[in-house]
Amino acid sequence: MSEQLLKLSPHRDLQCFFLTPTAIAAISGASASGYTLSGTWRQQFDWAVVEWDRDNAYEHPSIRYLPDGDLSGLQLSYQETRTSCIPFESNLYPTVDWPSLRLWATGSDGVEHVYFVPLASLATPVTQDYQSASGIMTVQGTPQVGDRVGLSMPVPSASGYPEQHYYYQVQTGDSLQSIAAGLAANISAGSLDFAATSAGESVTVTWNGSGATSGKTGANGNRITIYGFTSAGATESWASPTVTLTGGAFPPTYTVSIDFGNLSGYQDVSLTGTWMLVPTTSVRKMRWTWAADLQPGSFARTEYQVVVANWQVTGTGRQWYVAGPGSRRLEDSGESVAYSGTWLAPAQGNYSGNWIHSTQQIGATATFTYWQNESHSLYLGTQTVSDGATALVTINGATPQTFNLDTPGEQDLIRVPLGVLPAGSYTVTVAHDGPSGTTLYIDFLEIAFPTVNLPAPSHDTVLTLATDWDTYHSQALPAERTAWMIQQLGFGGRVNHYTGALWFYEIVMPGHVYASAQVTFSMPSSGGSGYTQLLIGPSNLSTSQLTAITHYNLPDDTSATVAEAFVCLINNGYTSIWASAAGNVLTITSRAMTPITAAPSTTIALSIASGTGNVTASLSSATLTGGVAGTPYDDSMTDQYLTPYTQYWRTDLTTIPRINRAARDWSTAFFAALLSYGIDVVASFSTELLNADPGVSANLAQRQSDGSPILVATPAVQTNFSPGSLAYWTQVYLDMAGLQAAAGVVPYLQFGEVQWWYFPSSQLTGVAVSMPFYDSYTTSQFEATYGTAMAVIADEYADPSQFPNEVTLLSTLLGQHMASIRMALRSQYPDCRLEILYPVDTNATPNSNPVPAGESVHDPSLDELVNYPSSEWTPQNYNSLKTESFTYTYGRNLTESLQAMAVSAQKGFPDSSRSHLIGISDATAPWVREVDLARHEGLESIVLFALDQFCLIGYPAPSLPQRRSLRQA
């Protein structure tokens, strides 16, 4: 029986996203009954979401479900266990929308609203094993009659004070043990939510809560710090001035039950206002959110995990439909559409049919005409964006339908349902209906015959797709969903998985300093009176709008205990700041990382309120200052191109494993899923890293003769072949081999374009200086070998015969780099398979760059000689040589494409060890014919680059018929 798709299936219609550039997240272990979300938090306000989306911009048209946002007949239940995330029952202020299930739904007013449903109200602990937090304070010294010995807790009292204070007054005959016992008794008798016991000289204080939270305070208590005080002149003291409670825990697992037919929430993110039913008959998307748990100080990088199990969906209306046999698309650049008004030149890219039209002219129209001999469903393929237009759609002159395509902060390719139409001839006009300055996009008109059955694939064991973890089709989707897409489309050849250059590794922020300020307290020896109040908040607010943090000064306070009191108050839950004390000096530190460009809204102001107390306070500054956004790049050009993406975050060169938690979990699951389908896979790394430190001192980047690092368009830094780079990459390859072995796959690693950069300029800067051979390690090796400085090679057209020593050394360094990694891999994994990906076109001349005046084409070229270390790249060392030649494909030169494929044979690799990678981003290029040529060559595998382009453009799958059908005739 053909597979069918069901709504709210974790392995078929969920995806994840995260806060960039700091967080990372991925979904693995996805099935019909659950999934795991995992990754790394790297700063306090990191978040990750899992999303259900009505419109689905991922699958191929043949298996992409048709949009249907009606969830009203469904009930969902699941069990969730989260680690290192803010708990379900946390009392923290929701700086991030972690408390809510958010739904974007269209109400009866015809307008889309965001609804916030408190998840805690839908969650029930599987077991009631709450643990209350507690802490121990120990009295020391010599009892002295009349002294007061007390503790202060930063939790509001029943009478409304922001703190609770309890003390014991020493009586005649008291010992330290009886003082502790008396104080414990006073706390238990006087507090509604704290209990205390004593053991010897120690007092154990436990926060149990009161009312609805009684016995259920859990991990919320772990933020409570209590401080001790004694009266002036007392001979008793506390062994430690403070203690932070520990051991608080919520139940590990919760059952969440969601009845979409009776779901209520708010339209206010603060979870206030009118409680209303959510219109779940028209949901566009839905998001669950998790956030980094609050840490007690400056944030330390933390791995997290959310395990969702026992996922069950019941009710009616769960079936997804897909466009079945005979369905077809009238593309925006086809003969069935005519345009009037002013339209921009069609854009080529990952759109249906490879193109999309757009206009900003009100009244401009796109008119489709077609005839269909059966009843069918009709959909408009378009794009929603910020400042999207309103589309006015008229079918055969009937009453127009209006669709708002404006989605602030979003950009999505969608299909808009236009209705179910009977057989006949149709004229469908789509008009830009304003407002001014907005854009209307036309991608296609789809004539669909909905079916519940997916096409049954027959697998091509040679042809396959490449995946790229830098794209949403891999990184955002569950690993099992990506693997399923490949096999469901009929691809059975060895998958080429590019691990990417952007997300797979760990990152650090060198040189970062959080902004802070100091408050120095002083008070008379007679003790405190009245209260002391700090005002704090964004500097763009007036003083009256700032948050007040108040401490009521105790008669037994000192300037040091006042400082500690504010530490206790601040650290008990303020999400924007944390505090520490040294004597009478309070230091307040921002939890937010220092931005590169400060703004009043991100600068925290601090002031002292005019109080009634006798404690005075002086500020080091009126705002938190001294923050440093991290270590800038060495030069302004690099800073200009990389900073918008990296915000100064750098690749962590020392952590083991090098591959981050999200990439590890996703990769392992992906390999295992492919193995379950009988599909082999090679994992690929290039030399590119977005966050590699391009600085001279780091010596990681390939460099031009003027010292400029090579920055490629990915965007990324092109790393070199120095010992530091080798050490980093060796561990990366070992990490990945271990993941493959853990998944049951015989390790197969690819050196994906591990090369010297091919041109005399960076792709990002476009400034031609020289070839990229001039990092300090390479130049020092040349000088040590030949006793002279390396010559400056101007460009790739240089005559290699004029630089024999340079050519020899450069090829040798590349070969040594790869040989070292190869030997390290096979030392730990003797059966490890290895592949080389060699771009024939970029190494050969001529290429897409014009030959400079006065220069000639040399064969073999400089790039060929330095980038093909023949003594290392042999069939004895490597299991496969994979060629590629995208520029030949897109240049429509199949003769050169065929010659590129032949290189692997010329280098001595048998057909069973030959593979070819083909670019498919241009639908007008003859890549299908190139596939046929590759088949004729008898290659082991033929790889199309890549999955996202294949699906979004909508190429016919190898085992599926063309979508055009006799049903239209």
Side-chain angles (χ1 to χ4, degrees):
M1 178 179 176
S2 298
E3 181 176 354
Q4 298 183 1
L5 299 179
L6 301 175
K7 293 177 187 174
L8 295 173
S9 297
H11 59 324
R12 296 292 181 263
D13 62 1
L14 297 184
Q15 50 270 344
C16 74
F17 304 99
F18 52 88
L19 178 64
T20 60
T22 50
I24 185 70
I27 300 176
S28 60
S31 69
S33 60
Y35 64 90
T36 295
L37 177 76
S38 59
T40 308
W41 307 131
R42 299 174 181 128
Q43 57 96 17
Q44 186 59 77
F45 302 105
D46 274 346
W47 53 260
V49 300
V50 166
E51 178 183 273
W52 176 89
D53 183 1
R54 171 196 70 192
D55 293 303
N56 184 5
Y58 302 103
E59 268 77 10
H60 187 273
S62 64
I63 58 174
R64 184 183 305 170
Y65 54 78
L66 296 169
D68 177 4
D70 188 356
L71 302 177
S72 61
L74 300 177
Q75 299 83 43
L76 166 66
S77 68
Y78 59 87
Q79 291 182 342
E80 180 189 320
T81 304
R82 56 179 72 174
T83 304
S84 297
C85 302
I86 295 177
F88 268 110
E89 298 186 70
S90 175
N91 59 6
L92 287 172
Y93 177 81
T95 307
V96 174
D97 290 330
W98 59 265
S100 303
L101 173 67
R102 289 176 290 163
L103 299 94
W104 284 253
T106 300
S108 58
D109 58 359
V111 177
E112 181 179 273
H113 303 278
V114 183
Y115 296 86
F116 300 85
V117 179
L119 274 170
S121 66
L122 307 175
T124 304
V126 173
T127 58
Q128 294 292 316
D129 49 347
Y130 291 88
Q131 301 294 322
S132 296
S134 62
I136 300 174
M137 292 284 283
T138 301
V139 184
Q140 63 185 7
T142 303
Q144 177 174 274
V145 175
D147 287 352
R148 291 184 297 274
V149 180
L151 293 174
S152 176
M153 301 80 151
V155 175
S157 66
S159 57
Y161 287 96
E163 303 154 288
Q164 299 182 41
H165 317 300
Y166 302 95
Y167 68 88
Y168 176 80
Q169 191 158 18
V170 181
Q171 308 295 313
T172 301
D174 270 335
S175 63
L176 294 177
Q177 292 87 346
S178 62
I179 293 171
L183 177 57
N186 289 347
I187 293 171
S188 294
S191 178
L192 296 178
D193 42 13
F194 284 95
T197 60
S198 68
E201 297 88 358
S202 297
V203 179
T204 298
V205 179
T206 302
W207 186 47
N208 292 316
S210 60
T213 64
S214 180
K216 297 183 178 182
T217 55
N220 290 331
N222 296 336
R223 297 193 308 274
I224 293 177
T225 299
I226 62 178
Y227 77 88
F229 58 87
T230 58
S231 54
T235 55
E236 307 84 3
S237 64
W238 292 100
S240 175
T242 64
V243 66
T244 299
L245 307 191
T246 60
F250 292 111
T253 304
Y254 289 75
T255 296
V256 179
S257 300
I258 305 171
D259 182 354
F260 288 101
N262 185 30
L263 189 64
S264 294
Y266 302 95
Q267 287 185 5
D268 192 320
V269 66
S270 65
L271 303 184
T272 59
T274 303
W275 181 256
M276 64 185 70
L277 282 173
V278 179
T280 54
T281 57
S282 182
V283 179
R284 179 169 65 87
K285 69 177 181 178
M286 177 167 56
R287 282 186 165 188
W288 290 261
T289 304
W290 294 269
D293 203 359
L294 195 69
Q295 294 191 359
S298 294
F299 196 83
R301 187 174 69 200
T302 303
E303 292 184 353
Y304 67 92
Q305 175 178 278
V306 179
V307 178
V308 174
N310 297 324
W311 180 282
Q312 298 179 10
V313 182
T314 58
T316 59
R318 194 183 179 197
Q319 186 75 59
W320 282 122
Y321 290 82
V322 298
S327 301
R328 58 194 171 104
R329 288 183 174 181
L330 308 179
E331 298 292 350
D332 63 296
S333 296
E335 297 178 354
S336 299
V337 60
Y339 296 93
S340 70
T342 302
W343 290 77
L344 301 177
Q348 185 176 26
N350 288 341
Y351 309 107
S352 181
N354 211 195
W355 302 92
I356 195 168
H357 277 70
S358 64
T359 181
Q360 293 186 329
Q361 183 185 53
I362 296 176
T365 64
T367 300
F368 292 87
T369 56
Y370 72 95
W371 182 81
Q372 185 62 50
N373 67 349
E374 292 184 60
S375 175
H376 56 283
S377 296
L378 192 64
Y379 296 86
L380 172 65
T382 183
Q383 184 170 235
T384 60
V385 293
S386 294
D387 296 324
T390 296
L392 196 67
V393 181
T394 305
I395 302 176
N396 284 358
T399 302
Q401 302 178 65
T402 300
F403 301 99
N404 180 10
L405 303 178
D406 179 38
T407 51
E410 299 183 48
Q411 181 173 333
D412 294 296
L413 294 169
I414 68 168
R415 288 174 291 182
V416 177
L418 300 181
V420 178
L421 306 180
S425 297
Y426 288 95
T427 299
V428 180
T429 300
V430 185
H432 187 308
D433 199 39
S436 177
T438 60
T439 304
L440 171 66
Y441 290 90
I442 300 294
D443 195 5
F444 59 88
L445 194 70
E446 184 165 31
I447 300 159
F449 298 97
T451 179
V452 299
N453 296 317
L454 296 182
S458 58
H459 292 99
D460 187 318
T461 58
V462 173
L463 193 63
T464 189
L465 290 168
T467 52
D468 182 349
W469 214 62
D470 287 344
T471 67
Y472 285 149
H473 276 69
S474 294
Q475 190 280 317
L477 302 187
E480 292 78 9
R481 183 174 171 186
T482 300
W484 170 79
M485 289 165 63
I486 293 170
Q487 72 83 31
Q488 183 64 35
L489 290 172
F491 293 99
R494 176 166 57 88
V495 170
N496 196 132
H497 176 58
Y498 179 45
T499 311
L502 307 180
W503 303 117
F504 76 84
Y505 45 85
E506 268 306 343
I507 55 177
V508 292
M509 176 68 84
H512 180 269
V513 178
Y514 288 92
S516 63
Q518 287 72 46
V519 185
T520 302
F521 298 101
S522 60
M523 64 186 303
S525 58
S526 58
S529 64
Y531 63 87
T532 304
Q533 191 173 75
L534 302 182
L535 302 176
I536 196 160
S539 63
N540 61 331
L541 301 181
S542 65
T543 301
S544 64
Q545 294 174 299
L546 299 180
T547 298
I549 306 174
T550 305
H551 168 64
Y552 281 81
N553 304 320
L554 303 180
D556 298 331
D557 264 337
T558 65
S559 56
T561 61
V562 172
E564 290 290 359
F566 278 102
V567 171
C568 298
L569 289 165
I570 290 171
N571 291 350
N572 189 29
Y574 285 89
T575 56
S576 62
I577 54 174
W578 65 276
S580 61
N584 65 331
V585 178
L586 172 71
T587 298
I588 299 175
T589 304
S590 173
R591 292 187 184 275
M593 299 190 74
T594 304
I596 293 174
T597 303
S601 60
T602 60
T603 301
I604 297 178
L606 181 66
S607 64
I608 308 297
S610 299
T612 62
N614 62 349
V615 175
T616 60
S618 60
L619 301 176
S620 62
S621 61
T623 60
L624 303 194
T625 60
V628 178
T631 303
Y633 294 112
D634 285 357
D635 63 274
S636 59
M637 187 72 75
T638 300
D639 193 81
Q640 173 186 347
Y641 284 102
L642 287 187
T643 301
Y645 304 101
T646 67
Q647 300 295 301
Y648 297 153
W649 286 88
R650 307 293 211 276
T651 303
D652 189 335
L653 301 177
T654 60
T655 189
I656 294 177
R658 302 278 198 262
I659 299 175
N660 65 48
R661 173 67 182 275
R664 296 197 309 269
D665 291 354
W666 191 96
S667 298
T668 304
F670 183 57
F671 301 146
L674 289 173
L675 181 63
S676 73
Y677 295 125
I679 299 175
D680 200 2
V681 57
V682 62
S684 173
F685 296 98
S686 67
T687 58
E688 299 175 16
L689 291 172
L690 168 62
N691 297 91
D693 190 338
V696 173
S697 61
N699 196 22
L700 290 175
Q702 295 185 24
R703 295 189 179 279
Q704 296 166 303
S705 58
D706 68 346
S708 301
I710 295 297
L711 309 177
V712 296
T714 311
V717 176
Q718 184 92 350
T719 59
N720 60 27
F721 307 113
S722 66
S725 182
L726 174 62
Y728 177 79
W729 283 112
T730 299
Q731 188 61 52
V732 167
Y733 280 86
L734 288 171
D735 289 348
M736 185 57 77
L739 298 177
Q740 290 183 312
V745 174
V746 177
Y748 206 153
L749 282 301
Q750 181 191 96
F751 294 91
E753 299 181 357
V754 176
Q755 306 262 271
W756 294 102
W757 183 239
Y758 314 99
F759 310 116
S761 62
S762 290
Q763 283 181 305
L764 286 182
T765 66
V767 179
V769 176
S770 75
M771 295 301 282
F773 310 137
Y774 302 95
D775 63 271
S776 61
Y777 174 72
T778 301
T779 55
S780 67
Q781 289 297 296
F782 188 89
E783 291 185 25
T785 302
Y786 298 106
T788 185
M790 182 185 291
V792 174
I793 303 177
D795 56 41
E796 72 271 37
Y797 294 102
D799 183 354
S801 68
Q802 300 301 307
F803 306 97
N805 294 339
E806 285 80 2
V807 167
T808 298
L809 179 85
L810 294 169
S811 178
T812 298
L813 291 181
L814 173 57
Q816 290 174 345
H817 177 89
M818 295 178 64
S820 180
I821 297 174
R822 170 175 58 81
M823 291 185 287
L825 282 166
R826 288 185 172 149
S827 174
Q828 291 195 30
Y829 304 95
D831 56 352
C832 180
R833 299 170 292 171
L834 295 171
E835 180 174 67
I836 300 158
L837 174 60
Y838 180 62
V840 176
D841 51 345
T842 50
N843 279 296
T845 53
N847 54 38
S848 57
N849 291 340
V851 180
E855 297 196 49
S856 303
V857 173
H858 300 277
D859 187 17
S861 72
L862 174 76
D863 281 337
E864 286 178 280
L865 292 174
V866 302
N867 277 331
Y868 200 102
S870 298
S871 61
E872 168 62 19
W873 288 12
T874 67
Q876 292 71 40
N877 290 337
Y878 294 89
N879 300 83
S880 176
L881 176 59
K882 179 173 287 175
T883 51
E884 64 168 295
S885 55
F886 287 14
T887 57
Y888 299 161
T889 307
Y890 300 144
R892 291 135 177 87
N893 193 328
L894 290 176
T895 299
E896 289 187 323
S897 296
L898 185 59
Q899 292 171 351
M901 295 177 212
V903 167
S904 53
Q906 294 165 7
K907 298 298 184 180
F909 286 82
D911 289 351
S912 60
S913 297
R914 298 170 61 208
S915 181
H916 190 60
L917 183 71
I918 301 174
I920 62 171
S921 64
D922 184 350
T924 66
W927 65 264
V928 174
R929 293 176 61 193
E930 189 171 346
V931 169
D932 292 338
L933 292 174
R935 288 188 191 277
H936 190 264
E937 284 285 301
L939 305 184
E940 173 264 340
S941 62
I942 305 166
V943 186
L944 306 181
F945 193 89
L947 171 65
D948 57 329
Q949 295 166 344
F950 189 88
C951 291
L952 292 174
I953 295 173
Y955 294 121
S959 64
L960 300 175
Q962 297 278 349
R963 302 186 75 205
R964 189 173 179 88
S965 170
L966 292 177
R967 298 178 82 160
Q968 72 192 70

